[in-house]
Amino acid sequence: MNISRSIADVRERIAAFRREHPGASVGFVPTMGYLHEGHAALLRRSVAECDFTVISIFVNPLQFGPNEDLERYPRDEDRDLKLAAECGANLVFLPTVEEMYPKRQRTIVSVSGVTERLCGASRPGHFDGVATVVSKLLHIVGPDRAYFGMKDAQQIAVIRTMVEDLNFPVDIVPVETVREPDGLALSSRNVYLSPEERRQAAVLSQALEHAQRWSAEPGMTAPVLEERVKSHIRTAPLAVIDYVEVLTYPELEQPGADTPLAEISGELILALAVKFGSTRLIDNRLLNLQEVTQACSAP
Amino acid sequence: MNISRSIADVRERIAAFRREHPGASVGFVPTMGYLHEGHAALLRRSVAECDFTVISIFVNPLQFGPNEDLERYPRDEDRDLKLAAECGANLVFLPTVEEMYPKRQRTIVSVSGVTERLCGASRPGHFDGVATVVSKLLHIVGPDRAYFGMKDAQQIAVIRTMVEDLNFPVDIVPVETVREPDGLALSSRNVYLSPEERRQAAVLSQALEHAQRWSAEPGMTAPVLEERVKSHIRTAPLAVIDYVEVLTYPELEQPGADTPLAEISGELILALAVKFGSTRLIDNRLLNLQEVTQACSAP
C-alpha cells in the first residue's frame, strides 16, 4: 500500500497504474479518517469490485461550521493506515489542508433542493463544503466508482445530484450502514459519547426499527410517524432531538401531510439527528413499505 | 469528422480513440457556434497541439439573463460544421438543451472574486452559467487541453480559477483575439450591427491601441487612463459605454486609484463593454507596460 501526501503524487501513481493496466478500474473511498468498520465495509466493497482502490483521509474544514467540531474531530493516522492496509487498499491520499486549499477557495459547488432539509437546515453551508471537496477529490483521483456509506444518506443524495447534474464520469455506490451489536450506527463521533450517553444512544436504531413496523399501519402518515418516533426517542432522557423527518428519497421532499405512506410512489426515508450531550448523531432507514405490507397481509 | 448529438456517443468515441491511441492527447474547443475566424484559430491551435480535437457547439441557456439575446443568438449549423471540418476537428458535439439539461439544474458551480467586476457586474449569474456548463463539458469530453479566446478575458480568468480551485485535470490555453482589418474583435454578435454601427465599432480597438501608449506616460493611473479611453470611445456617437476598467489580471482586482500603473507588479488588463444599438460588444487588451517603458526609454 502506498501513501501519497501530494496531489501530484496521487495523480502520478494512478496514471501509472492505468498505463500499466489498460481497461482496469479504480475505486475510491473518500473519508475524514478515524476509520471504523463502516469505512472498512466501503473499502472491502471497492477492493472486491475494482482493480485498484484509493482511500483519501482528509478532515475537510470547508464542511464544518464556525461552531462545529473541526478542531476536536478525532484523528489517528497510524490506526487508519493499518486498517486501510488490512482491507486491501492500494493507495492512501493523506493531504494537508494547505495541499487541498493552497489559497482562499473561490469556487464553490452548490447543490440546491436536496440540501434544504435535514442536516442542510441544521448545518448551513455544510453540503456546499461536501460537494466542493468531493468535486476536488474526484478530479484528483479520477475513479470509475466512488463508495459512500448510507448512514450519510443526505450526503449521498447531494453527491448523486452533483454527479448527475455536472456529468461527472463516475458511478456513486451507496453501501449499507454498519452497526454495533445494539444497533448504534458506526460513526467516528461515537467516541465522544460518555458511557451513559453511549448506552442511551441505542434508542435511535430501535426507533428506526419500530418505525419500519409503524409505517405499515393502515393510514399511517409522515407527521404521525415522525411524532411516534420522537416519543420513542424521548424515552432516553439524555436525547435532544434536532430533527426526525420522513422524506422521499433521493429527492428529499416532504410527502403530503395527509397522504397515507402506503400511497406514496417511490422510496421514503426516515432520517434523524439527535444530540447526546455535545455529540450530534445521525441515522436513517429507507422505509420498505412494499415488503412490510406483504408481510402483514400474509396469512 | 464525426458528429455526436448525445453525451453517451461523445464519451464512447473519445474513449475508443484513447483506447486505440494510448498516451494520445485530446484538445477541446467549447463554443456557442456561429463560428468565425476566432473559433478557427482555437481549432487550428488544438489540431496543431493535440492528437484529437473535439469542438462543442451549444448555446447555453444557463449563461443568458432573462432580458438577454438567448432566442435571437445567431445559429448556422451547416456553416459551422463546414468550418470545423476545414480546421481539422475530429469530433463535433452538438447537444440539444434537453440533452444537457434533462431536468432542472440543481447544481451550480460558482466562482467568486474574479466574477464581481466587468461583465460579472453587468450580467448577474452569467459566470455561474459559464462555470457550470464548462464543468459539465469538461466532464463529458475529458480533454487534456481546452482552448478559449482572450476576447473573453474574464471568462478565461473564471475558468482558470475554477480549474485551479477544483483540481480539474486539464490545461486551459488562452488564444489571442482575432480581429477584422479595422481592428474590431471577431464576435458572433457582430452580425447584429447595422452598417453604420459596424463602422463606428472600430473605435473600440483604436481606443485599446491608444491606451497601450497612454499607459506608459509617467504617472499614468487607472482612473485617468479609463477616462481617456472613455473620451475616445465617445467620439463614436452611437457608442454607449457599459464599462471601461483597468484591473489586475487574472485576479481582476482594482489597482490603487493613485498608484502609477508602472509601479504595479503583475499584469494589467484594460477591458471594456460598449453597446451599439442593442448589440453589446466587449474587448480588452493586456497592457504591456514593460515593453512600452523600454521602447520609450530607448534612445
Side-chain angles (χ1 to χ4, degrees):
Chain A
M1 187 178 75
N2 284 302
I3 300 168
S4 289
R5 294 185 189 270
S6 83
I7 292 169
D9 190 56
V10 164
R11 286 204 157 124
E12 212 171 282
R13 287 180 192 276
I14 296 171
F17 174 81
R18 288 206 185 265
R19 264 197 311 276
E20 287 157 26
H21 304 82
S25 60
V26 173
F28 178 43
V29 179
T31 81
M32 298 214 299
Y34 213 72
L35 305 180
H36 50 62
E37 275 302 306
H39 300 104
L42 302 178
L43 283 169
R44 289 193 196 104
R45 177 85 177 267
S46 174
V47 169
E49 293 180 353
C50 303
D51 302 304
F52 190 86
T53 290
V54 183
I55 174 175
S56 65
I57 298 177
F58 178 59
V59 182
N60 172 37
L62 214 60
Q63 73 192 66
F64 285 79
N67 298 315
E68 292 181 1
D69 58 348
L70 172 62
E71 289 313 318
R72 68 169 193 140
Y73 195 87
R75 290 159 169 90
D76 189 340
E77 191 175 306
D78 291 345
R79 220 192 46 170
D80 286 352
L81 292 176
K82 198 156 158 280
L83 189 135
E86 280 168 14
C87 292
N90 301 94
L91 177 59
V92 185
F93 178 38
L94 253 171
T96 60
V97 172
E98 291 65 37
E99 180 72 4
M100 288 295 280
Y101 301 110
K103 36 177 121 168
R104 190 176 61 81
Q105 182 78 8
R106 298 145 297 177
T107 308
I108 295 298
V109 181
S110 191
V111 181
S112 61
V114 290
T115 53
E116 264 107 70
R117 308 197 68 82
L118 309 179
C119 291
S122 311
R123 304 181 69 186
H126 169 66
F127 285 117
D128 284 0
V130 170
T132 302
V133 81
V134 171
S135 181
K136 286 168 72 74
L137 290 168
L138 290 175
H139 290 148
I140 292 165
V141 173
D144 300 283
R145 286 189 275 278
Y147 298 81
F148 293 86
M150 265 303 282
K151 185 178 77 80
D152 300 301
Q154 188 173 18
Q155 175 171 279
I156 291 183
V158 169
I159 288 165
R160 284 186 140 174
T161 303
M162 174 184 91
V163 162
E164 193 182 321
D165 279 1
L166 297 184
N167 308 94
F168 274 87
V170 66
D171 285 333
I172 300 301
V173 183
V175 176
E176 217 178 314
T177 303
V178 178
R179 298 178 181 282
E180 298 282 4
D182 69 352
L184 180 67
L186 293 197
S187 164
S188 304
R189 289 188 170 98
N190 290 352
V191 295
Y192 298 152
L193 298 167
S194 73
E196 181 54 22
E197 288 166 351
R198 170 65 192 80
R199 204 186 57 75
Q200 293 190 19
V203 77
L204 303 183
S205 60
Q206 281 165 14
L208 292 173
E209 282 298 316
H210 292 318
Q212 171 64 57
R213 251 184 309 107
W214 295 331
S215 67
E217 290 179 14
M220 177 58 71
T221 61
V224 173
L225 184 60
E226 289 164 5
E227 241 355 282
R228 252 201 244 173
V229 169
K230 284 181 186 172
S231 297
H232 184 81
I233 292 171
R234 288 194 194 102
T235 62
L238 295 175
V240 178
I241 295 171
D242 179 352
Y243 62 74
V244 172
E245 287 198 71
V246 177
L247 300 173
T248 61
Y249 193 81
E251 303 80 12
L252 299 182
E253 287 163 3
Q254 280 191 304
D258 301 327
T259 314
L261 298 181
E263 290 176 17
I264 295 165
S265 64
E267 289 216 274
L268 289 174
I269 193 167
L270 173 60
L272 53 81
V274 175
K275 278 189 125 179
F276 288 86
S278 60
T279 307
R280 186 172 172 280
L281 301 179
I282 61 173
D283 202 352
N284 66 79
R285 183 182 176 122
L286 289 172
L287 297 177
N288 194 338
L289 293 170
Q290 212 56 41
E291 191 181 284
V292 175
T293 310
Q294 283 165 357
C296 290
S297 62
Chain B
M1 186 177 77
N2 284 302
I3 300 168
S4 288
R5 294 186 189 269
S6 83
I7 292 168
D9 190 57
V10 165
R11 286 202 159 125
E12 212 171 281
R13 287 179 192 277
I14 296 170
F17 174 80
R18 288 206 186 265
R19 263 197 310 276
E20 287 158 27
H21 303 83
S25 59
V26 172
F28 178 43
V29 179
T31 81
M32 298 214 299
Y34 213 72
L35 305 180
H36 51 60
E37 275 303 305
H39 301 104
L42 303 177
L43 282 169
R44 290 195 196 103
R45 177 85 176 267
S46 174
V47 169
E49 293 180 354
C50 304
D51 302 306
F52 190 86
T53 289
V54 183
I55 174 174
S56 65
I57 297 177
F58 178 60
V59 182
N60 173 37
L62 214 60
Q63 71 192 67
F64 286 79
N67 298 314
E68 292 182 2
D69 57 348
L70 172 61
E71 289 313 318
R72 67 166 195 143
Y73 195 86
R75 290 160 169 90
D76 189 340
E77 192 176 305
D78 292 345
R79 222 193 44 171
D80 286 352
L81 292 175
K82 198 157 158 280
L83 189 135
E86 280 168 14
C87 292
N90 302 96
L91 177 59
V92 184
F93 178 38
L94 255 170
T96 59
V97 172
E98 291 66 37
E99 180 72 5
M100 288 295 281
Y101 301 111
K103 36 177 120 169
R104 192 176 60 80
Q105 182 77 9
R106 299 144 298 178
T107 308
I108 295 297
V109 181
S110 193
V111 181
S112 61
V114 289
T115 53
E116 264 110 68
R117 309 197 66 81
L118 308 179
C119 291
S122 312
R123 305 181 68 186
H126 169 66
F127 285 117
D128 283 1
V130 170
T132 303
V133 81
V134 170
S135 180
K136 285 169 73 74
L137 290 167
L138 290 175
H139 290 147
I140 292 165
V141 174
D144 300 283
R145 286 189 275 279
Y147 297 81
F148 293 86
M150 264 304 280
K151 185 178 77 81
D152 301 302
Q154 189 174 17
Q155 175 171 279
I156 292 182
V158 169
I159 290 165
R160 285 187 140 173
T161 303
M162 174 185 92
V163 163
E164 193 182 321
D165 278 2
L166 296 184
N167 308 95
F168 274 87
V170 66
D171 284 333
I172 299 303
V173 183
V175 178
E176 217 177 314
T177 304
V178 178
R179 297 178 181 281
E180 299 281 5
D182 69 351
L184 180 68
L186 294 196
S187 164
S188 305
R189 289 188 171 99
N190 291 352
V191 296
Y192 298 153
L193 298 168
S194 73
E196 181 54 23
E197 287 166 352
R198 170 65 192 80
R199 204 185 59 73
Q200 293 191 20
V203 76
L204 304 183
S205 60
Q206 282 165 14
L208 293 173
E209 282 299 313
H210 292 320
Q212 171 63 57
R213 250 184 310 110
W214 294 332
S215 68
E217 290 180 13
M220 176 59 70
T221 61
V224 173
L225 184 59
E226 289 165 4
E227 242 353 281
R228 253 203 244 173
V229 169
K230 285 181 185 170
S231 297
H232 184 80
I233 292 171
R234 287 194 194 105
T235 63
L238 296 176
V240 178
I241 295 170
D242 179 353
Y243 63 73
V244 171
E245 287 199 71
V246 176
L247 300 173
T248 60
Y249 193 82
E251 302 80 13
L252 300 182
E253 287 164 3
Q254 281 190 305
D258 302 326
T259 314
L261 298 181
E263 290 176 17
I264 295 164
S265 65
E267 289 215 273
L268 289 173
I269 194 167
L270 172 60
L272 53 82
V274 175
K275 278 188 127 180
F276 287 86
S278 61
T279 308
R280 186 171 172 281
L281 301 178
I282 61 172
D283 202 352
N284 67 79
R285 183 183 176 121
L286 290 171
L287 297 176
N288 194 338
L289 294 170
Q290 212 56 40
E291 192 181 283
V292 175
T293 311
Q294 283 165 356
C296 291
S297 62

